[in-house]
Amino acid sequence: MMMEVDKNGDQIVDGINQEHRRRKRTRGLEDNMETVENSNKIVHPSNEINEDNNYQNDPEHPRNLIPEICRMCYNQEAMTGSGGAISMRKNDKIYVAPSGVQKERLQPEDMFVLNRHGDTLKQPLNGKICRMSQCTPLFLTIYQLRDSGCVMHTHSKRAVLATMISPGNEFRIANQQMIKGIYKRTEGRNYKFGEQLIIPIIENTATDLELKDNLLKVMEKYPDTCCILIRRHGLYVWGTTWQQAKLMYECYEYLFDIAIQAKMLGL
């Protein structure tokens, strides 16, 4: 692409085109969020949900994994009081845990199934009445911006405390072995011991939906991050696969705990 050069030899970026592309991408994300928030229509395109019928025989199907990991998070006191949610993607379908339910009692039939545009393909089975997670627009944003396979949102006490001991808009930690479990996206590798891990912090809002603008901004500003902290609320963690997302979630929790205890000990 040709670029203009001023008298001092500095490149002049075509800001108009860059802003146009950013706005176009943002409008696309907002359209998907609006679809999830306002549409009650259930779409059944041909051959779209066939693979969902054999989940009983697949222990790693999202319908089985989401309740299993939700129970794990509940036992760690990160999804108590019906808080938090998990979403997984399988091919072109997105599975989302419902809102306002006891996460330790979730069943495979309780999931919502969406397409990548946010249209509902299946509601919870067996006639159960559930609400779609309020996190769904944020899940869709992360799937689009990071091409992720799994997104976890919890109300982890360690994550909350990590935001409370970090006065600015970043949580920073270095020289910890467990940093090596965190993926550094722009370089296609995991962090090395001695490198500094930076996790952006956004301020909490009255509803999850109101978080989306700041979520979008920090994801663009911090292209390496696989986690965003929400002050006095919790965190979002994502990975290419459910295994990677779960592993990084555990590493983040460990690092938060180390930082909290170091603060308490005055280290």
Side-chain angles (χ1 to χ4, degrees), residues 16-258:
I16 296 176
N17 288 338
Q18 189 179 58
E19 178 67 12
H20 175 74
R21 287 193 297 270
R22 188 191 70 78
R23 290 182 179 179
K24 183 177 180 181
R25 182 170 67 252
T26 302
R27 283 198 302 270
L29 293 170
E30 289 173 346
D31 289 343
N32 279 345
M33 294 170 187
E34 186 174 340
T35 299
V36 173
E37 184 182 12
N38 298 325
S39 175
N40 294 319
K41 181 175 67 175
I42 301 176
V43 181
H44 294 289
S46 60
N47 300 322
E48 181 74 21
I49 57 176
N50 289 342
E51 70 180 37
D52 190 45
N53 297 330
N54 296 318
Y55 66 88
Q56 297 95 335
N57 302 318
D58 182 3
E60 293 199 358
H61 192 284
R63 283 191 178 275
N64 297 314
L65 284 171
I66 291 175
E68 178 184 341
I69 298 176
C70 281
R71 281 191 289 274
M72 177 199 80
C73 292
Y74 172 82
N75 290 331
Q76 296 173 352
E77 299 185 334
M79 283 193 178
T80 55
S82 80
I86 295 175
S87 175
M88 293 184 187
R89 187 169 66 177
K90 184 176 176 64
N91 298 327
D92 291 331
K93 289 183 285 298
I94 294 171
Y95 294 78
V96 183
S99 179
V101 299
Q102 298 179 52
K103 295 302 189 296
E104 77 278 16
R105 303 194 65 187
L106 276 180
Q107 299 300 316
E109 297 77 20
D110 296 340
M111 304 301 117
F112 284 87
V113 186
L114 315 176
N115 63 20
R116 61 189 180 87
H117 303 295
D119 301 314
T120 302
L121 303 178
K122 274 190 176 182
Q123 291 186 343
L125 308 176
N126 300 331
K128 290 189 176 181
I129 300 175
C130 299
R131 291 184 290 110
M132 190 180 297
S133 174
Q134 295 181 5
C135 307
T136 302
L138 305 182
F139 289 153
L140 290 174
T141 299
I142 294 169
Y143 283 130
Q144 288 201 359
L145 290 181
R146 292 293 187 265
D147 195 30
S148 303
C150 175
V151 187
M152 300 175 63
H153 170 52
T154 78
H155 295 175
S156 153
K157 289 190 287 187
R158 294 185 182 96
V160 170
L161 285 170
T163 68
M164 294 172 69
I165 64 172
S166 304
N169 57 3
E170 294 175 341
F171 171 87
R172 293 173 176 253
I173 193 168
N175 299 317
Q176 294 294 330
Q177 180 71 7
M178 292 294 276
I179 284 178
K180 294 166 67 174
I182 305 300
Y183 185 65
K184 194 171 187 178
R185 179 176 167 271
T186 59
E187 298 185 21
R189 63 169 176 84
N190 281 27
Y191 279 83
K192 300 175 182 179
F193 179 85
E195 289 186 307
Q196 186 177 62
L197 176 68
I198 302 174
I199 305 173
I201 302 173
I202 62 177
E203 298 301 322
N204 196 24
T205 55
T207 66
D208 285 76
L209 184 60
E210 295 175 75
L211 292 168
K212 66 182 180 65
D213 289 338
N214 285 334
L215 182 85
L216 177 60
K217 290 176 183 176
V218 297
M219 288 183 74
E220 292 180 334
K221 183 178 179 181
Y222 297 86
D224 271 332
T225 193
C226 295
C227 175
I228 291 177
L229 286 162
I230 308 166
R231 200 178 308 279
R232 300 176 183 270
H233 179 154
L235 81 167
Y236 280 83
V237 177
W238 56 87
T240 304
T241 64
W242 71 266
Q243 293 96 329
Q244 186 188 54
K246 177 177 175 291
L247 183 148
M248 287 197 293
Y249 174 76
E250 293 167 354
C251 291
Y252 283 124
E253 286 281 278
Y254 177 94
L255 294 169
F256 297 151
D257 191 40
I258 286 289

